[in-house]
């Protein structure tokens, strides 16, 4: 680092059944355009299984894609005293209930107020598979999505967890308050999700992209809202938020994806909560389920809806 340049490397694990071009895959995983990605690929800054390749490389299950973006004068994340709700911790993993409004790792516009900064403050040992900017991070939650997250404390644990996410053996259950009512009480939605061609910062249901599978169930209905449970069978960027919009009832408070209920215009972000996460412990092999109650703002809105007439409570 004597030349003032720091390389920010991120590794992606390709899930089963991808069979997708390298540039298309990374366009859906990052904010970069395919033309920018082509320059990075041609320059050797993107590797598949450690090897230089071309844009048209078809990715298959188990492939690892490493993206290295040179960043001039970049500073490494620094410890910062940010409160953390720790659900579980041992020598291999730490499980937290991420608060709404906390970004997971440093990025453009936010270099020191993230989950990573909070973990560093605790002195927690973290894996370095994803480089110095995303230590320990195996999966992510959006800034305004709260709830259960698991973080790897060493590289062996990271590899095990990454494999579980890639092979879809992790069970992720979310609960959300929606702006509107879903037509069906339950269903399984399968679409493609890719970058929105009209806004690269957002995602959309597209004709091509990456397969996204979401199982949903309405728990309670109110006159203008419903509470729904979502089980993710894939892990696409903004998947629940995009699918909720596609189904005609965006997540309440999600102005990016269409929530417009003026009664709750003061909400900082979407009322989407990761309620439970089931993993296999990297060392013991034990199946473990971690849960977290929704945050205060979620509960406050839910209580206000309960004061209205309940249209229907769905039986399990």
């Amino acid at each position: 680092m004597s030349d003032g340049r720091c390389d920010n490397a991120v590794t992606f694990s390709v899930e089963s059944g991808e069979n997708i071009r390298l540039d298309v895959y990374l366009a859906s995983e990052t904010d970069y355009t395919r033309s920018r990605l082509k320059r990075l690929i041609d320059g050797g800054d993107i590797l598949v299984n450690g090897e230089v390749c071309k844009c048209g490389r078809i990715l298959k299950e188990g492939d690892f894609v490493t993206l290295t973006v040179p960043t001039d004068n970049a500073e490494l994340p620094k410890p910062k005293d940010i409160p953390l709700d720790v659900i579980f911790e041992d020598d291999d993993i730490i499980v937290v209930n991420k608060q709404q409004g906390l970004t997971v790792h440093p990025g453009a516009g936010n270099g020191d107020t993230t989950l990573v900064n909070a973990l560093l403050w605790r002195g927690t040992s973290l894996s370095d598979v994803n480089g110095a900017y995303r230590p320990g991070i195996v999966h992510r939650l959006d800034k305004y999505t709260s709830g259960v997250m698991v973080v790897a404390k060493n590289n062996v644990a990271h590899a095990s967890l990454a494999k579980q996410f890639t092979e879809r053996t992790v069970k992720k259950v979310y609960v959300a308050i929606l702006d509107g009512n879903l037509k069906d009480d339950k269903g399984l939605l399968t679409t493609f999700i890719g970058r929105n061609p009209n806004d690269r910062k957002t995602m959309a249901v597209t004709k091509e992209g990456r397969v996204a599978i979401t199982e949903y169930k309405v728990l309670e209905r109110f006159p203008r809202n419903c509470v729904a449970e979502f089980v993710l069978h894939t892990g696409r960027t903004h998947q629940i938020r995009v699918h909720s919009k596609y189904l005609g009832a965006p997540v309440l408070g999600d102005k990016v994806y269409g929530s417009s209920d003026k009664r709750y215009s003061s909400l900082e972000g979407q009322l989407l909560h990761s309620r439970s996460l089931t993993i296999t412990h990297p060392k013991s092999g034990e199946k473990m389920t971690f849960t977290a109650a929704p945050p205060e703002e979620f509960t406050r809105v839910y209580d206000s809806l309960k004061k209205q007439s309940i249209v229907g409570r769905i039986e399990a």
Side-chain angles (χ1 to χ4, degrees), residues 218-222 302 306 310-316:
V218 177
L219 303 179
E220 290 184 73
R221 294 187 184 274
F222 301 96
Y302 174 69
K306 284 203 301 183
I310 297 178
V311 175
R313 181 175 282 108
I314 311 303
E315 297 297 328

Side-chain angles (χ1 to χ4, degrees), residues 24-50:
V24 173
Y25 172 86
L26 285 174
S28 71
E29 285 290 325
T30 70
D31 292 333
Y32 298 123
T33 62
R34 286 173 69 176
S35 59
R36 173 74 191 282
L37 289 167
K38 183 179 187 306
R39 290 195 295 272
L40 290 170
I41 293 169
D42 291 345
D45 292 313
I46 295 175
L47 307 177
V48 176
N49 303 328

Side-chain angles (χ1 to χ4, degrees), residues 178-182 226 230 243-252:
L178 305 185
D179 185 355
N181 267 287
L182 297 177
C226 67
F230 296 90
H243 272 172
S244 295
K245 176 183 180 178
Y246 183 77
L247 291 170
V251 180
L252 189 64

Side-chain angles (χ1 to χ4, degrees), residues 121-189:
W121 177 269
R122 295 181 78 255
T124 305
S125 173
L126 299 170
S127 69
D128 60 8
V129 173
N130 278 341
Y133 292 88
R134 295 172 175 81
I137 302 303
V138 182
H139 68 122
R140 293 174 292 178
L141 294 178
D142 297 337
K143 178 178 180 179
Y144 290 106
T145 298
S146 57
V148 185
M149 271 193 67
V150 61
V151 176
K153 296 182 69 175
N154 56 63
N155 289 354
V156 173
H158 193 120
S160 172
L161 292 170
K163 186 172 187 287
Q164 292 177 50
F165 278 99
T166 297
E167 295 180 349
R168 304 178 188 176
T169 59
V170 174
K171 185 174 182 180
K172 298 171 281 186
V173 181
Y174 293 73
V175 62
I177 300 176
L178 305 185
D179 185 355
N181 267 287
L182 297 177
K183 178 181 177 182
D184 299 317
D185 289 342
K186 59 183 177 180
L188 183 69
L189 179 63

Side-chain angles (χ1 to χ4, degrees), residues 3 43 46 59 89 140 148-149 180 201 217 281 287 314:
D3 60 358
I46 295 175
L59 300 177
E89 182 175 13
R140 293 174 292 178
V148 185
M149 271 193 67
K201 293 181 179 180
K217 177 173 67 175
H281 190 277
K287 278 281 186 184
I314 311 303

Side-chain angles (χ1 to χ4, degrees), residues 53-123:
C53 54
K54 297 186 179 297
C55 288
R57 168 70 177 265
I58 301 299
L59 300 177
K60 300 186 182 303
E61 176 185 357
D63 284 343
F64 287 90
V65 180
T66 304
L67 165 64
T68 302
V69 181
T71 305
D72 293 333
N73 301 316
E75 291 188 9
L76 295 176
K78 297 179 180 178
K80 187 167 184 178
D81 187 5
I82 301 170
L84 278 183
D85 180 5
V86 177
I87 300 171
F88 174 86
E89 182 175 13
D90 63 11
D91 292 339
D92 299 290
I93 62 174
I94 178 170
V95 182
V96 301
N97 176 15
K98 187 189 82 67
Q99 58 263 49
Q100 187 182 47
L102 183 66
T103 302
V104 170
H105 56 70
N110 185 1
D112 65 353
T113 310
T114 72
L115 175 62
V116 165
N117 299 104
L119 290 167
L120 292 174
W121 177 269
R122 295 181 78 255

